[in-house]
Amino acid sequence: GNSFSFSSYGALLSTCPKVCVVGGGPAGFYTAQHLIKVCISDVQVDVYERLPVPFGLVRFGVAPDHPEVKNVINTFTQTAKHSRCSFYGNVNVGKDVSVAELLRSYHAVVLSYGAEGNRSVGVPGEHLSGVYSAKDFVGWYNGLPSCRELDPDLSCDTAVVLGQGNVALDVARILLSPLDILKKTDITQPALEALAASRVRSVLIVGRRGPLQVACTIKELREMVTLPGTRPEMTPSDFEGVKDALKDLPRPRKRLTELMMKTALERPGEKEQERWNSASRVWGFRFFRSPVEVLPDAEGKKVAAVRLAVNRLEGSGEGAQAVRSGDVEDVPCGLVISSIGYKSLPIDAGVPFDSRRAIVPNSMGRVQQVLGLYCSGWLKTGPTGVIATTMNNSFDTARSLMEDMDSGKLDVSAEKPGSLRIRALLEEKGVEPVVFSDWEKIDSLEVRRGEARGKPREKLLSVEEMLAVARS
């Protein structure tokens, strides 16, 4: 329960540095893990998370058919259950408690709350019905409470995905995957039912540059190429000159490009040809295209097509720039999903924020101008890289913090009340945190619900349901 005696806290108060981490996703947990594992002095780490459930994008971002990527949850759970770590979910920092208040109560505060905003495409018509951000679409099929009401209309034949990163491929794959694959995953029941009724037969994955600049990795591309019931359709002329560039490419990019070329240009083997012939669904990359407008249907309410500018490339390799040629083409479609990136949002007026780069300005994770304030994860770097990238970036921030403790730049000899003070403040506001053992109740219920359906878990979809179970 929530009762604790002050006497047992007395010893804790005087001796140990207290660090607060804001955000319970990979950045937050990796930062906490490193502080607990590597720090000489007995650091107490409190992780605050806005949702009642932990793990951020591992739970809400990773595709349901990539369960192996979610194995890091085991590591995070070990950290959360460590005697010197506490988890407080259902606490909205910036609203329930200010960063200034956290800085008063802890020796150091690490902001790791990630990138929850959408980069907008910035074209006319993007607010039409049938246009979604990939972030929201992924949130919908992964059970993010704020995306529960999305209810995308999948009654059209063609979907256009803007962007060619791994998230774009996740979206395309989920739209085209056979149901018998999806129903063994932790995809939400409403999404499963919507996809069962989906009439989407064709997905175009659009990028402003060429095959040599595509942002996905080979694993995700290979999954598309081998997806049962589908066949790829590419434009061979998009690959002119690509073969000549191959020899100078770094190995990962070279292998990726070779697989793309093979898929686009070579006749498939007999087995593959059979699969293509019987495929009911198609997908393909469209290169050298930038969206200029989403075109409405006759009523002016719903998307009917997307107008793409035709680009040519100036320069080569990673630095090549897309330049509009003046030509446009219209692609009829009933669904547009923009996967052009996540962006961080400012949390609190007291925290410096670079709105152009959408990061907290920092040097090695130390927030400029604010002693004792740090950042890790996408808030620190921008929304790039995979979970392993975030791990290293979070370890780096933890190292900066530990250096500042060791050098005396951070005075950890002063007593700080830590969670005692914050919990009292939250109680005044009627906010009841969800501790890790409460999350374990939610977790075990979800796993039981999943077992009944032959899935790894069936997620609770609303904050209210989560809180009801946590408090049961």
Side-chain angles (χ1 to χ4, degrees), residues 19-20 22 31 103 107-112 351 360-368 370-376 379-380 396-405 409-410:
V19 177
C20 150
V22 179
T31 306
L103 283 164
H107 294 104
V109 173
V110 186
L111 301 175
S112 312
V351 178
V360 169
N362 69 90
S363 118
M364 301 286 294
R366 297 176 178 92
V367 176
Q368 285 155 23
V370 188
L371 182 67
L373 190 59
Y374 300 81
C375 59
S376 63
L379 191 60
K380 172 184 175 185
D396 287 344
T397 293
R399 271 193 286 273
S400 292
L401 199 164
M402 294 185 314
E403 280 167 22
D404 293 349
M405 282 198 226
K409 187 177 159 186
L410 271 187

Side-chain angles (χ1 to χ4, degrees), residues 446-458:
E446 288 184 342
V447 171
R448 284 201 308 276
R449 284 178 43 168
E451 276 168 2
R453 290 198 156 118
K455 300 167 74 170
R457 74 171 61 237
E458 187 63 60

Side-chain angles (χ1 to χ4, degrees), residues 51 60 116 118 132-152 188 190-191 461-462:
L51 286 167
F60 295 119
E116 49 148 351
N118 285 314
Y132 304 96
S133 76
K135 186 180 148 301
D136 292 347
F137 191 77
V138 169
W140 167 70
Y141 65 62
N142 274 337
L144 186 63
S146 61
C147 301
R148 196 165 90 251
E149 309 293 321
L150 201 72
D151 195 23
T188 68
L461 300 183
S462 74

Side-chain angles (χ1 to χ4, degrees), residues 265-333:
L265 306 174
E266 290 180 22
R267 287 198 54 149
E270 199 176 328
K271 254 202 131 91
E272 192 84 329
Q273 186 67 61
E274 245 169 71
R275 183 167 71 81
W276 287 13
N277 291 345
S278 64
S280 59
R281 301 175 168 196
V282 300
W283 66 275
F285 286 130
R286 282 288 174 282
F287 293 107
F288 311 111
R289 300 289 184 272
S290 295
V292 283
E293 189 175 351
V294 181
L295 305 171
D297 61 4
E299 277 83 69
K301 295 270 196 295
K302 221 181 142 343
V303 52
V306 60
R307 178 163 292 164
L308 302 173
V310 181
N311 303 326
R312 54 187 168 76
L313 282 196
E314 284 185 2
S316 62
E318 302 293 328
Q321 294 291 322
V323 179
R324 296 196 177 166
S325 66
D327 294 336
V328 296
E329 64 181 32
D330 294 349
V331 179
C333 59

Side-chain angles (χ1 to χ4, degrees), residues 210-213 234-246 257 260-261 264-265 287-288 313:
L212 292 167
Q213 289 81 29
M234 307 271 204
T235 311
S237 60
D238 282 351
F239 291 85
E240 275 166 25
V242 170
K243 200 171 177 16
D244 307 331
L246 274 181
T257 309
M260 247 187 305
M261 287 179 65
L265 306 174
F287 293 107
F288 311 111
L313 282 196

Side-chain angles (χ1 to χ4, degrees), residues 192-205:
L192 198 56
E193 286 160 19
L195 288 161
S198 166
R199 304 225 289 272
V200 175
R201 291 289 166 265
S202 162
V203 179
L204 294 180
I205 306 164

Side-chain angles (χ1 to χ4, degrees), residues 331-352:
V331 179
C333 59
L335 182 63
V336 174
I337 298 174
S338 70
S339 182
I340 56 168
Y342 290 47
K343 73 168 184 188
S344 295
L345 303 172
I347 192 172
D348 189 306
V351 178

